[in-house]
Amino acid sequence: MAEDKDLQLLKKRLLELAERSYSHNIYTFTPFLGLSEQQAFYAVQREVSYAGYTMEGGSPLCERRMIRFGLAQALGYEEAFPILCLKVEPLTPKFAEPLIHRDFLGAIMNLGIERSTVGDIFVQDKAAIVFCQENVAGYLSENLEQVRHTHVRCGVTEVEAQLRAPVTETVSVSVTAPRIDTVISKLYNIARSRSLELFRSGRVYVNGRLAENNSYMLKKDDTVTARGFGRFVYTGEQGETRKGKVRIQIEVYR
């Protein structure tokens, strides 16, 4: 119930930001929104379309994104999203721990930073690429000195120079049809009932939107996120097996 209340408040805030942008002829921005929060935007998308909007996370690879209300042709100028990219790396890589996403996020949250000011975090080797709001970048650069037991340095960097394409693994599975619930069940080796529960609890997204239809037939290049399990891209059919099933190919994010 608390979550429903939060989403209702977010919808109201989105309507207010759109109206403020339109009536004052300025750009307005949301903080970073996670996938579940982005559904609040999609629920009011038609109501705010008059103001114009753009979504951005700092890179096409990002799931957490900001929304900017305002149209350049109407306002007569362009205003960039207030997003900066930070690189967090160990002072002595040789002795650094094998850190994961949760470690970097935890260290940032321990500095008193609001989660909504931080976007996606990509762990690469022993370092991390962190997207954040412009107004907290300086604070993080000065104060993020340790992640778990590893001493680190943190500073603004260029996205293009640092962020690599995510590592994926090509997987082939055989299914009766590329139904999303069947593919999730097969790919993650879970019971069909467990797969259905993911849909009932709102944990499956296709191309950033909540997937409410568990019988949805995947289309080429659909990106699927099953929260708690992972993310993959459906790349299409490869043909039939001898038993009449369809062999499909998937790129699984690792």
Side-chain angles (χ1 to χ4, degrees):
M1 295 295 258
E3 183 178 354
D4 290 341
K5 185 177 179 181
D6 289 343
L7 291 179
Q8 288 302 320
L9 289 173
L10 178 55
K11 290 177 185 178
K12 182 179 178 182
R13 179 59 177 157
L14 291 169
L15 293 171
E16 290 172 349
L17 287 172
E19 174 57 28
R20 184 173 168 227
S21 170
Y22 185 78
S23 60
H24 290 78
N25 292 314
I26 59 171
Y27 287 105
T28 58
F29 299 86
T30 69
F32 283 102
L33 304 177
L35 288 177
S36 61
E37 294 167 315
Q38 288 171 34
Q39 306 318 303
F41 167 72
Y42 292 129
V44 298
Q45 187 174 6
R46 296 179 72 177
E47 295 176 64
V48 300
S49 60
Y50 70 92
Y53 57 83
T54 313
M55 300 180 77
E56 177 62 63
S59 163
L61 300 175
C62 294
E63 285 191 339
R64 292 177 61 80
R65 296 185 290 177
M66 287 182 177
I67 300 170
R68 180 187 68 184
F69 292 105
L71 291 170
Q73 56 265 43
L75 299 177
Y77 70 102
E78 184 81 24
E79 184 175 340
F81 279 79
I83 299 174
L84 288 179
C85 179
L86 304 178
K87 184 174 184 180
V88 185
E89 56 188 338
L91 292 177
T92 50
K94 182 179 179 180
F95 300 108
E97 301 164 271
L99 301 171
I100 60 176
H101 179 280
R102 184 174 59 221
D103 298 324
F104 288 99
L105 179 59
I108 291 170
M109 294 298 96
N110 286 338
L111 294 175
I113 294 293
E114 293 287 335
R115 182 66 181 100
S116 61
T117 65
V118 180
D120 280 57
I121 299 173
F122 297 90
V123 180
Q124 298 182 167
D125 301 323
K126 295 183 178 181
I129 303 302
V130 180
F131 291 92
C132 68
Q133 286 187 8
E134 199 172 62
N135 60 349
V136 301
Y139 179 79
L140 286 174
S141 297
E142 292 176 11
N143 294 280
L144 186 56
E145 299 177 338
Q146 188 169 329
V147 179
R148 288 184 61 188
H149 302 295
T150 299
H151 292 281
V152 299
R153 66 170 65 90
C154 176
V156 176
T157 188
E158 293 293 326
V159 179
E160 293 78 7
Q162 299 295 338
L163 188 58
R164 301 196 300 263
V167 176
T168 61
E169 177 185 352
T170 303
V171 175
S172 293
V173 296
S174 298
V175 291
T176 52
R179 267 180 57 141
I180 187 171
D181 57 354
T182 303
V183 173
I184 288 175
S185 177
K186 188 80 171 181
L187 178 62
Y188 296 115
N189 194 27
I190 59 176
R192 185 73 173 275
S193 59
R194 182 89 184 278
S195 173
L196 292 175
E197 181 55 36
L198 294 177
F199 289 89
R200 294 192 191 101
S201 57
R203 294 167 60 190
V204 180
Y205 299 84
V206 178
N207 302 324
R209 292 183 181 246
L210 183 66
E212 298 180 286
N213 180 11
N214 65 282
S215 62
Y216 171 76
M217 293 293 180
L218 290 171
K219 299 177 178 61
K220 190 176 185 300
D221 296 327
D222 275 347
T223 297
V224 178
T225 299
R227 298 185 68 177
F229 288 88
R231 183 162 50 138
F232 65 87
V233 178
Y234 171 67
T235 54
E237 297 183 8
Q238 296 179 301
E240 283 193 11
T241 68
R242 291 182 179 178
K243 295 184 178 181
K245 289 190 174 183
V246 179
R247 181 166 291 280
I248 62 172
Q249 185 169 291
I250 295 168
E251 292 294 324
V252 183
Y253 286 78
R254 298 302 186 191

